[in-house]
Amino acid sequence: MLDRINQLVEEIKSLAASSAEEAENLRIKYLSKKGLVSQLFDEFKTIPNEQKREVGKVLNVLKTQALDKINEIKEGFASNGQGEVGADLSLPGTSFELGSRHPLSIVKNEIVEIFSRLGFNVADGPEIEDDHHVFEALNFPPEHPARDMQDTFFIATNPDVLLRTHTSSVQVRVMEKQAPPIRAIFPGRVFRNEAISARAHCIFHQVEGLYIDKNVSFADLKQTLLYFSKELFGADTKIRLRPSYFPFTEPSAEMDISCTLCGGKGCNVCKYTGWVEILGCGMVDPAVLEASNIDSNEYTGFAFGMGIERITMLKYQIKDIRLFFENDKRFLDQFKSAGK
């Protein structure tokens, strides 16, 4: 038996193959269950016990050499790209599930697109701001009671550093750096210290707009917002402006649209009034223009601001603002066909 083992050792040293198929045949010949090496292991069981130590040692060496040699041959073909099973091009391809834009992004992009058609540029600014850009330059002096209207996240005091409560701070930065005419919108994330509920959140998104030029009137503001409302909510949408108060605009107004669900007839969404509030607006207060070194005797302007969450909830009849922040795939998958 030792002679046969030694003979196979020499035979295996000289093994060679011209293709991956031949290499597989060598494996079957020597290492399969009925291969030559396996047969020797079967015979090993029948030899006398006093020979098993010597024969077993040589037999294990044979098996190891056979494995190494055949693997070496097969790896050579694999590295050359031979012997691999070709792809079956008739099989269906692997599918990849596509995601979709977040509903807030969908609506924000729609708003930006509508105002871009009116010549508005998009401007952005920091979310961590100073008191001057968030309050003081917008006609909020330190003792002004309107500061109580916006609960703020302060990061530091003396000087005050805070998370912006509105994107109006970007309006100030644009007015400081750019001479009129100015026509821009300011989408972004804002923060207020509010209890989280179905109707409110400490994080939300705004789009504000600013137009400053010579002879800008309230009529320009009204027509701009009417065009925007019809483009976003439909051609039959009506608007109404109600007197209101904001420190940075005078006169100021709240804008309502005719309820998109009932068409203005009255339902539980509009509380049977036929109207739904969507934004605040007004003519820029001369004090705000002067704070940014813009001559209020020469220039006038209007500003407006809306919450993207509120617009999205109205547009898609969403009842709970918290859904926007929960990353629930069942909720987000509903907007695949709406994404742009």
Side-chain angles (χ1 to χ4, degrees):
M1 188 173 180
L2 283 173
D3 292 339
R4 291 170 58 198
I5 292 173
N6 292 329
Q7 182 181 350
L8 282 176
V9 168
E10 295 301 321
E11 187 176 321
I12 286 170
K13 288 180 181 179
S14 60
L15 289 180
S18 58
S19 66
E21 184 178 357
E22 287 186 15
E24 177 62 14
N25 290 334
L26 289 175
R27 186 194 68 78
I28 294 172
K29 177 180 178 181
Y30 290 99
L31 297 173
S32 65
K33 289 184 178 182
K34 296 183 179 180
L36 296 178
V37 175
S38 298
Q39 290 177 10
L40 289 175
F41 273 94
D42 290 338
E43 294 180 21
F44 176 75
K45 300 174 184 177
T46 62
I47 65 173
N49 290 334
E50 59 271 15
Q51 297 180 15
K52 284 186 176 182
R53 181 180 181 85
E54 180 184 1
V55 174
K57 183 177 179 180
V58 179
L59 193 55
N60 284 329
V61 172
L62 169 64
K63 182 178 181 180
T64 300
Q65 289 182 346
L67 279 170
D68 292 344
K69 184 65 176 181
I70 292 173
N71 286 336
E72 179 185 342
I73 295 171
K74 296 181 76 172
E75 287 172 5
F77 290 113
S79 63
N80 293 330
Q82 300 181 27
E84 297 180 0
V85 178
D88 186 350
L89 300 181
S90 65
L91 292 174
T94 302
S95 62
F96 295 94
E97 184 177 359
L98 296 177
S100 62
R101 291 192 183 275
H102 194 281
L104 295 180
S105 296
I106 295 171
V107 173
K108 184 197 76 172
N109 292 344
E110 287 187 64
I111 294 171
V112 169
E113 182 182 352
I114 292 169
F115 281 106
S116 68
R117 296 200 292 269
L118 294 172
F120 283 78
N121 299 317
V122 178
D124 194 13
E127 294 180 348
I128 300 176
E129 268 288 10
D130 56 59
D131 182 88
H132 173 76
H133 289 94
V134 175
F135 292 123
E136 188 174 350
L138 291 165
N139 207 26
F140 288 87
E143 72 284 354
H144 200 294
R147 286 179 181 249
D148 296 335
M149 296 166 56
Q150 301 182 11
D151 292 328
T152 307
F153 287 109
F154 284 91
I155 298 173
T157 56
N158 298 321
D160 289 342
V161 178
L162 56 138
L163 297 178
R164 66 184 183 188
T165 59
H166 46 204
T167 57
S168 304
S169 57
V170 190
Q171 295 188 36
V172 176
R173 290 185 176 275
V174 170
M175 287 189 289
E176 289 175 342
K177 296 179 181 178
Q178 180 180 333
I182 297 170
R183 190 181 298 183
I185 57 173
F186 316 95
R189 184 170 54 175
V190 298
F191 310 84
R192 293 183 190 175
N193 186 15
E194 296 188 9
I196 297 174
S197 67
R199 307 298 295 176
H201 207 286
C202 61
I203 303 171
F204 58 101
H205 300 77
Q206 282 187 336
V207 174
E208 296 193 7
L210 177 68
Y211 178 34
I212 299 174
D213 205 345
K214 296 179 180 179
N215 302 315
V216 177
S217 70
F218 202 94
D220 298 317
L221 169 62
K222 181 179 177 181
Q223 191 59 34
T224 299
L225 296 180
L226 177 62
Y227 172 82
F228 160 73
S229 301
K230 288 179 176 291
E231 289 295 305
L232 187 65
F233 294 104
D236 296 330
T237 304
K238 299 179 176 62
I239 69 170
R240 74 175 183 182
L241 296 168
R242 295 178 288 106
S244 186
Y245 166 75
F246 302 108
F248 34 83
T249 54
E250 180 60 38
S252 304
E254 301 276 1
M255 192 188 87
D256 305 332
I257 62 168
S258 53
C259 181
T260 56
L261 191 62
C262 66
K265 297 178 181 178
C267 66
N268 61 343
V269 173
C270 62
K271 298 180 181 177
Y272 299 96
T273 65
W275 299 94
V276 180
E277 177 189 332
I278 66 166
L279 59 82
C281 59
M283 301 300 294
V284 179
D285 193 299
V288 174
L289 296 175
E290 295 293 343
S292 296
N293 297 318
I294 296 175
D295 188 351
S296 60
N297 294 317
E298 183 178 2
Y299 294 100
T300 55
F302 64 72
F304 57 86
M306 69 194 82
I308 300 177
E309 280 82 356
R310 178 160 181 78
I311 301 293
T312 307
M313 292 173 77
L314 289 172
K315 187 175 178 65
Y316 295 115
Q317 297 302 311
I318 297 168
K319 306 295 185 183
D320 194 328
I321 194 174
R322 292 170 292 192
L323 291 169
F324 294 128
F325 301 93
E326 291 177 349
N327 292 324
D328 189 329
K329 193 168 179 296
R330 296 168 299 177
F331 171 71
L332 299 176
D333 280 346
Q334 298 176 54
F335 300 92
K336 282 187 175 181
S337 60
K340 292 183 178 181

